Amino acid sequence: MLPDLFLVPEERENPRTRIDAHLEDGAAWSVGNHVRPVVHGRPYFAELHERISAMGEGDLLFFVDWRGDPDQQLTDDPQSTVSATFAAAARRGVDVRGLLWRSHWRRLGFHSHKARYLGLEIEEAGGQCLRDMRVRTAGSHHQKFVVLRHGDDPSRDITYLGGIDLCHSRRDGIEHEGDSQRVDMPAVFGRRPAWHDVHCAITGPAVYDVETVFRERWEDSTPLTLNPGRLLSSISRGEDLTPRPLPEQAPPPPSPAEACEAVQILRTYPAILPKGYDFAPDGERSVAAGNAKAVRHAQRLIYLEDQYLWSEEVGRHFGNALRDNPDLRLIAVIPIVPDVDGPLTSPPELYGRKLAMDLLLEAGGDRVAVYGLTNEGGYPIYVHSKVCVIDDVWSSVGSDNFNRRSWTSDSEIAAAIQDVRVENREGTAPRDVFALRIRRELVAEHVGLHPDDVPDDPDELWALMAASAARLDEWYAGGGALRRRHLPRPKAPLRGTSVHWRRRLPGAQGTADVGRPPGRLRRLEPPQLTRAQLLWASRVYGVVDPDGTLGRDDEI
C-alpha cells in the first residue's frame, strides 16, 4: 500500500529542498524502514553511548539540538558525559559535526554558553560543533536528532529523533524519579523533576533523509549569525564560525530484514530576514501540513502527547476534525502545570492552553479527554514528548509541539510513519504496526499495565484511561486512607489546573502512599484565569507563542 496520508512533493511547498531529490516516482518518503519507539531519556542516552563508543575511523556522527550540556551524563558513569563521549569518538577518527542553537542571552536564563563549551571540547578533539543563530527574531532552532553512519557497514546506520535534548533533566526513566542533573523548574516539581519524553530510532533508507536535513543546514551559505553584537562577541573569543566541508554523502543504507515502515521527514523552517535559507528561502511548513492531511482522514481516535497544546489555531485544527466526524475522539496527555511559575510567565501559557481546550471541548464535548501525569511520589511529571497517533495508521514523533511557534517560527523536525502492510483504513492493522506499538507502550505506563494488556480498540482504550484517571483523581481528592493523613500542598501556584494535590513530606520524594491506585493519569479541565489575567495574558501570549505567518498570505 502507498502511504496515502503522506504529503506529495508539491504539498511540501518548498521546491528548493533536496530532501526528496533522490527518491523515485515522485515520492516524498522512504520505504523499507524499521522504526522503534525510544521512550524516556535514560534508555536513549545509554543506547546512544553504546553505539557511539563502538564507532571508529571513517564513520560519521552528525547531531543537531536545541540545547547541549557538555557535562550531561549518558550513563551512570560520571565519565560518560556528552562532551567526553563525542570528543572520544572524534579522537578515534569519527567525523563529528554538530549544530546547536546559540540561544538568547544567558542572563535571561538561556544557555548559549553551554553550547560554546561543548563546541570547544569537541573541536579540541578534531570535530566541529557550531552555534547556529540563523533564526527569526525571538525564534529558536528546536530540532533534536543524531545521525550515525558507518563507513564499513551501512547496515549499522541509525538515526534518532524526537523530543529528547542532550541536556540536563532529560535522563529520566519509566520510574520517573527524575535526573540528578536537573534544570531549574518550579518548586511543585520537587528536587528532581520527573520528565516524560519520547524519541524514535530509525534504521533503513530514511537515515539518509535525516542526514540530508543536517547537510542542508550545515552547508547553507547564510552566516551563522547576522547580529553585530553576537558576531563581535564570537570574534573576540576566537569562536569557530566557518563550517568545514562535509565528506560526500554515502547512498541510503539498506533496508533491515522485514522492514515495513514508510517514513516521511517533515520540517518547520521560517522565512528569515535579511537572507533566507538556501534550501528553504520562503520557509517550509510541512510539519503542520503533514499533520493536517492526516487529521482530515481521522475516523476513530487521535492520541496526542505534547508539551503545550496551545493556541486558537491548534484548537481549530483538531476541533474541525471532531466537528466533521461525530465518531472521532481525541485523547491528549500534557503537563499538569507549565515549566514556569512566575506571575508574568505562567498566565500567558495557561491562556494559550485555554484557547485550545475551549475550542476542542466546544467541538467534541465528551469525545475529548485531556490528561496530566503524576509520579508515585505525588509530584507532577513534566510531559515533554511530541507524539501524534491517528487511528492505527499514521503517527509522528518529533521535536514539534502543537503550538504556533512550532508550526511557523522555529526550526523543527518530525518523522511521520505509515506501515505499508495496512491495506486500507477500514480493516484491522497488524498488532506490530508502529502506531499501535508506541501508543500501547505509552498508555501502559500511564495506566500501570504491561503493554500487551493495553487494548488496541479505541473504545476500550478510551474507557481504560478514563477509569484509571477517575480512580486516581478520587484518591487524591481525599478518598480512602488518604483522609487519615494531612500532607502539605505544593508551594507553586496551581490556579487553573483543576487538580487536587497531595505531596510527599520532605525527604520522601519518590515513595508511594499505601492504597494509591495504579497509574499516573489525572483528568484536566481548561485553565481558570481571572478577568485581569485574561486581559493582559492575551497580549503577552503573542510573544510567548508567536505566529510566524504574520505578513504572509497563508495561515496555519
Side-chain angles (χ1 to χ4, degrees), residues 35-39 196 198-200 298-305 328-333 385-397 417 427-465 521:
V35 187
R36 172 170 50 90
V38 182
V39 183
H196 176 73
V198 179
H199 241 42
C200 67
Q299 297 176 357
R300 296 189 66 187
L301 179 66
I302 300 175
Y303 177 88
L304 306 174
E305 292 196 3
L328 180 64
R329 287 171 165 166
L330 182 143
I331 296 173
V333 179
S385 46
K386 303 96 168 53
V387 174
C388 181
V389 181
I390 296 178
D391 297 327
D392 304 333
V393 181
W394 184 97
S395 54
S396 70
V397 179
I417 303 115
T428 301
R431 204 156 194 262
D432 60 346
V433 163
F434 178 82
L436 288 175
R437 281 188 286 126
I438 189 170
R439 191 177 71 197
R440 195 182 302 127
E441 183 172 349
L442 293 170
V443 173
E445 176 188 326
H446 302 335
V447 300
L449 292 176
H450 188 279
D452 290 344
D453 296 327
V454 174
D456 295 337
D457 179 78
D459 295 335
E460 296 179 21
L461 185 81
W462 177 276
L464 171 68
M465 296 181 70
L521 289 173

Side-chain angles (χ1 to χ4, degrees), residues 47-63 74 84-97 146-154 156-160 207 211:
E47 180 176 334
L48 189 63
H49 180 265
E50 180 180 5
R51 285 187 176 266
I52 292 175
S53 298
M55 299 179 78
E57 189 169 356
D59 297 339
L60 304 179
L61 191 172
F62 295 163
F63 70 99
L74 298 180
T85 302
F86 286 28
R91 284 191 290 269
R92 292 193 304 271
V94 180
D95 192 341
V96 179
R97 312 290 184 105
V146 177
V147 177
L148 307 180
R149 302 212 62 183
H150 303 79
D152 61 346
D153 186 4
R156 296 166 57 203
D157 292 353
I158 191 168
T159 186
Y160 301 93
V207 173
E211 181 187 356

